[in-house]
Amino acid sequence: MITRIVVPDVGATGAEMRVVRWLAKEGDRVEAGAPLFRLETDKAVQDIEAFRAGYLRTILAPADTVVEVGAVVALLTDTADESLQETAGTPRSTAPAREQGAPPSRIPASLPLSAPRNPEAPPTRDSLLGLYRRMVLIRRFEDYLYRLFLQGQVPGTLHQCQGQEAVAVGVCAALRPDDVIFSTHRPVGHLLAKGASLPAVAAEIWGKATGCAGGKGGQMHLMDLSVGAYPSNAIVGANIPIATGAALGFRLRGLDRVAVSFFGDGACNTGTFHEGINLASVKDAPVIFVCENNLYAASTHVELAMRVRDIADRAAAYGIPGEVVDGMDVLAVYRAAATALARARAGQGPTLLECKTYRYPGHSRGDPGNYRPREELETWRKRDPIDRCRRLLAQEFHQPEAELDEVEAACQAEVEAAVRFALDSPDPDPAACGEHIYAGKVRE
Amino acid sequence: MVEALRDALAIALRSDPTVFLLGEDLGVSGGFGGGFTVTLGLSEEFGHDRVMDTPISGAAIVGAAVGAAMTGMRPVAEMQYGDFVFCAMDAVVNQAAKMCCMSAGQVRVPLVLRLPVGASNRGAQHGQCPEAYFLHTPGLKVVCPSTPADAKGLLLASIRDDNPVIFLEHKLLYGGKGSRKEKASLDVTGDVPEGDYEVPLGTVAVRRQGTDLTILANMLMVHRALAAAEELAREGIEAEVIDVRCLAPLDEDSLRTSAMKTGRILIVEEDTRTGGWGAEVAARLAESAFDFLDAPIQRLAAPDAPLPCALALERAYVPSVAQVLDAARRLVRE
């Protein structure tokens, strides 16, 4: 099968994109994920990876060629010597490549996140498996999205969260379905951790009518009200007072529901961080503020943005508990979240959790992350939350590797099915532009 | 108008447990009752949770109102002065106004944001009329009453509307009593119906019928237009005065009907001229009633300048009855 390597839309705004040079030669075999060619745009120089393995047969855009988005720059084949002539019926990989069919899994696909009520109690095998599965689903989906992005298949932008899965999953595992979350421009992990519909999320990223917001929201405004996930927010820091307000509403009605605000290290220097947390503190609002400190706000390192090292220290300024949490350890996150939840439900007010974590990808699509040292990424990868959870399952709970592989395969199948659903779904009707500007009619 | 507004808030709080107020100095015992005494006494009946005092945190006041509204409450937030709304513009424009659309109608933001507006001898950061910013923002409703009866009915309708409503209250129309009454207050009185009633949003009110020209005005300017109309009548000019008490949604049909009748339109607005609400209304009427106009549409507005404080300057800045008379006479003679 012939695979076309295209120039992905890396979000460059200027005129020229240029292939600087090739990182493999014609005839080389390349692995999936291996850097193939170096692309220069007005924004950055970045290495574009092969999205699947194969033999680099023909380079169509040699070094120093000016290219544009979508241009076919090379051809890969599955085998070293298959013909490059296309014949009718030769599959063209303009559609997402289908992986090998997944074997049926002995672990049910809908394994619920049943975490122990007592956060101090040791986890059960099933609850740990549930956490593992949820993290794998997020990772597989984000990785698959990225491969499709490299093929020029993903419209719009992406803000991905590989590496940060344990924070989303650990927090959401402690929540009830009627607790609410408010996420950010990087929402996929939080949404899937809360139990949002993956096909609806995929369809929204593709801007389809079947998307969770009918295509009106987009990648940064994912939502699923049935699991308490309100539209995520692209204004950094904005969801902090919003979550406080939701919590105030719960308290006024005598409900023991809790609101969670997710945000990054960048949000901690916004005015709404200060105002929103302070208001929650003086009103004992049942809200948890979860900071995902991945050391970078876009390209700016935290040390350039603030004098304190631990954002959790700022909780003292509001008279609320603040805790630094290992964001690469899903159980540590879960325990911290469960403790904060208990406080909130008991009317003791908000907590600030600072989860130290790391995002493997750049800030957004096309950001190669050149502002980060390569060794730093490697150091954090060694603490990968999914690998850690898998080791725990294998060693402490003697979960057979083959069964864990089945979880991975089942998640992959679920991911691919969701993307197929998205691709097969219709675009929204243009009339939708003028819909839902106002809500309904005046209540009778 | 203060009593009418307070009455509306009390009725809303009594009839719907999801309604609550939030803002600075609203419910403090022995305190002000908000910027202009509107909420005075309400915390005694409804407590300090439903009449919630906040720190000086404009962005959080409106942001929290958005969050509460999205999840089932009907908050009524107050900015102590309308000018302070700019501290919260992200919450108003990027959050409250856009949530319903971004969610394809799944999320509603039924909040009311009360803004005391209008020049009152306090200077540029305490007297702006900001309605144009909200008229320009799809997803918001914009309400600006000129009478106590309208204020009560429109506020109740706004609280019960499922959309974010920017509710402008002119400081010189509050009236009220005691030490917190504005010096230049108009003390507008009039019959305010007892009990629970609503004035529908999306309507205007013809305050005076006429045939020679149509004056469109809001809030304080309605009263100046009416005073001018009385004088004009003595000169044989009959002005129709329409109170544009709701700018969004706008009852364009009623405005057009009047334009067709008189053929001459004068817009009297306290906000600044460029991009003021008059510019939008003028553009719409020029589009829809052009063939019926006998003269270009005129706008009398504050000049394009921040509001000066000195009384001598403020009097020249805010359209006066004399300026309305002048503009009307010129329009009729054209």
Side-chain angles (χ1 to χ4, degrees), chain B residues 197-237:
Chain B
Y197 68 95
E198 292 177 26
V199 171
L201 306 191
T203 61
V204 300
V206 178
R207 296 296 181 198
R208 186 183 194 280
Q209 303 252 4
T211 49
D212 297 321
L213 77 151
T214 301
I215 305 179
L216 307 178
N218 70 344
M219 297 190 291
L220 180 67
M221 296 299 107
V222 172
H223 300 279
R224 296 200 174 168
L226 286 170
E230 261 190 58
E231 173 58 34
L232 289 168
R234 288 192 272 278
E235 300 168 23
I237 300 169

Side-chain angles (χ1 to χ4, degrees), chain A residues 246-284:
Chain A
L248 287 174
F250 297 152
R251 188 167 77 61
L252 284 176
R253 280 171 288 172
L255 305 170
D256 70 343
R257 296 165 68 185
V258 175
V260 175
S261 165
F262 288 103
F263 50 92
D265 44 281
C268 297
N269 303 312
T270 63
T272 41
F273 171 90
H274 174 63
E275 292 193 28
I277 296 182
N278 184 62
L279 180 61
S281 72
V282 291
K283 299 297 176 187
D284 294 323

Side-chain angles (χ1 to χ4, degrees), chain A residues 291-324:
Chain A
C291 173
E292 293 168 317
N293 183 353
N294 61 21
L295 299 177
Y296 293 89
S299 67
T300 303
H301 194 275
V302 285
E303 280 172 15
L304 296 174
M306 61 186 120
R307 287 283 186 216
V308 296
R309 193 189 61 178
D310 293 330
I311 290 156
D313 288 351
R314 290 182 169 177
Y318 306 109
I320 66 172
E323 194 182 329
V324 174

Side-chain angles (χ1 to χ4, degrees), chain A residues 200 203-219 428 432, chain B residues 101-102 104:
Chain A
E204 189 62 31
I205 290 171
W206 262 269
K208 298 299 182 93
T210 51
C212 54
K216 299 275 286 253
Q219 182 263 295
Chain B
C101 185
M102 285 198 313

Side-chain angles (χ1 to χ4, degrees), chain A residues 1-318:
Chain A
M1 184 176 127
I2 300 170
T3 302
R4 283 167 171 66
I5 301 298
V6 300
V7 178
D9 183 357
V10 296
T13 48
E16 272 196 4
M17 302 168 75
R18 197 169 60 90
V19 173
V20 178
R21 67 183 182 89
W22 284 85
L23 304 167
K25 311 184 304 296
E26 282 182 2
D28 282 352
R29 175 172 165 81
V30 295
E31 298 304 319
L36 254 189
F37 66 98
R38 186 156 293 165
L39 181 71
E40 182 186 50
T41 72
D42 60 340
K43 270 175 136 182
V45 177
Q46 56 197 290
D47 291 346
I48 307 299
E49 304 99 310
F51 61 87
R52 68 196 297 261
Y55 289 86
L56 177 57
R57 299 290 297 283
T58 312
I59 290 174
L60 298 168
D64 229 18
T65 313
V66 171
V67 293
E68 41 185 51
V69 172
V72 181
V73 293
L75 300 177
L76 256 55
T77 53
D78 289 355
T79 56
D81 51 7
E82 67 186 81
S83 165
L84 286 169
Q85 294 281 69
E86 281 193 86
T87 56
T90 306
R92 293 172 47 139
S93 67
T94 49
R98 283 179 87 115
E99 308 288 320
Q100 292 286 337
S105 171
R106 264 179 280 149
I107 294 163
S110 58
L111 189 77
L113 278 181
S114 54
R117 282 188 192 286
N118 177 2
E120 298 307 315
T124 63
R125 187 204 75 138
D126 274 351
S127 65
L128 197 58
L129 254 177
L131 298 173
Y132 176 74
R133 193 192 187 289
R134 202 60 69 99
M135 288 194 290
V136 167
L137 187 69
I138 296 167
R139 177 70 60 91
R140 287 280 173 155
F141 182 60
E142 293 277 53
D143 279 349
Y144 194 61
L145 274 181
Y146 186 64
R147 290 214 303 284
L148 293 173
F149 154 74
L150 289 175
Q151 298 173 65
Q153 299 270 347
V154 180
T157 188
L158 286 177
H159 299 81
Q160 301 202 287
C161 69
Q162 294 94 320
Q164 301 184 188
E165 297 88 348
V167 183
V169 172
V171 170
C172 290
L175 301 178
R176 294 193 317 229
D178 65 344
D179 294 324
V180 300
I181 66 165
F182 295 91
S183 175
T184 69
H185 55 281
R186 199 178 304 283
V188 164
H190 307 136
L191 271 278
L192 296 183
K194 195 67 166 67
S197 155
L198 181 55
V201 163
E204 189 62 31
I205 290 171
W206 262 269
K208 298 299 182 93
T210 51
C212 54
K216 299 275 286 253
Q219 182 263 295
M220 290 188 274
H221 304 291
L222 302 178
M223 61 179 295
D224 190 331
L225 292 186
S226 72
V227 296
Y230 278 78
S232 58
N233 214 305
I235 305 297
V236 172
N239 78 21
I240 295 171
I242 289 175
T244 295
L248 287 174
F250 297 152
R251 188 167 77 61
L252 284 176
R253 280 171 288 172
L255 305 170
D256 70 343
R257 296 165 68 185
V258 175
V260 175
S261 165
F262 288 103
F263 50 92
D265 44 281
C268 297
N269 303 312
T270 63
T272 41
F273 171 90
H274 174 63
E275 292 193 28
I277 296 182
N278 184 62
L279 180 61
S281 72
V282 291
K283 299 297 176 187
D284 294 323
V287 53
I288 306 176
F289 299 109
V290 180
C291 173
E292 293 168 317
N293 183 353
N294 61 21
L295 299 177
Y296 293 89
S299 67
T300 303
H301 194 275
V302 285
E303 280 172 15
L304 296 174
M306 61 186 120
R307 287 283 186 216
V308 296
R309 193 189 61 178
D310 293 330
I311 290 156
D313 288 351
R314 290 182 169 177
Y318 306 109

Side-chain angles (χ1 to χ4, degrees), chain B residues 100-115:
Chain B
C100 184
C101 185
M102 285 198 313
S103 68
Q106 296 173 79
V107 169
R108 305 180 163 201
V109 187
L111 67 81
V112 176
L113 180 56
R114 296 179 41 245
L115 303 181

Side-chain angles (χ1 to χ4, degrees), chain B residues 211-290:
Chain B
T211 49
D212 297 321
L213 77 151
T214 301
I215 305 179
L216 307 178
N218 70 344
M219 297 190 291
L220 180 67
M221 296 299 107
V222 172
H223 300 279
R224 296 200 174 168
L226 286 170
E230 261 190 58
E231 173 58 34
L232 289 168
R234 288 192 272 278
E235 300 168 23
I237 300 169
E238 292 298 331
E240 179 147 297
V241 177
I242 299 185
D243 179 353
V244 187
R245 62 189 178 188
C246 186
L247 280 167
L250 181 66
D251 178 5
E252 232 180 293
D253 284 344
S254 298
L255 303 185
R256 185 169 179 268
T257 300
S258 181
M260 287 164 62
K261 181 167 74 164
T262 69
R264 292 166 199 272
I265 303 171
L266 171 64
I267 297 168
V268 181
E269 52 184 317
E270 189 174 332
D271 63 354
T272 57
R273 180 183 183 77
T274 296
W277 67 262
E280 174 63 26
V281 171
R284 291 203 200 182
L285 289 174
E287 284 165 358
S288 65
F290 182 76

